[in-house]
Amino acid sequence: GCMRWTVERCVAWMEDGRLLFAGLFRDDVGGGIAVLNSADQAAAPRMMEGDPAVQSGLLTATLRPWQMVFDPASGTSPFAQD
């Protein structure tokens, strides 16, 4: 079904760099987060709206711009002093 498609799509997006990370919130509220690396501002809504789980209403999605401030993988931050 649509959840299998969603998982397979997430794996493909992770492999090609379009999905930075995704996971579930572990509290009583529930929900989850996926951080996308889109080519432009128009690509992210297309990625989100094209998900069959979102289209069917099984999952809901809200798009919000995000900027990395601390990057442990590279050890960089715009706040780091030289």
Side-chain angles (χ1 to χ4, degrees), residues 9-31:
R9 178 59 56 103
C10 284
V11 169
W13 286 350
M14 185 177 57
E15 289 172 350
D16 71 15
R18 288 185 283 173
L19 176 66
L20 298 180
F21 61 85
L24 301 173
F25 294 116
R26 297 189 58 164
D27 58 17
D28 293 337
V29 178

Side-chain angles (χ1 to χ4, degrees), residues 27-40:
D27 58 17
D28 293 337
V29 178
I33 186 170
V35 176
L36 306 175
N37 182 22
S38 62
D40 55 55

Side-chain angles (χ1 to χ4, degrees), residues 28-73:
D28 293 337
V29 178
I33 186 170
V35 176
L36 306 175
N37 182 22
S38 62
D40 55 55
Q41 282 190 310
R46 285 193 308 269
M47 292 168 69
M48 182 179 70
E49 294 162 0
D51 187 324
V54 172
Q55 291 173 349
S56 72
L58 181 62
L59 298 177
T60 59
T62 302
L63 182 63
R64 295 178 60 192
W66 182 78
Q67 177 182 357
M68 187 177 303
V69 176
F70 297 99
D71 182 0

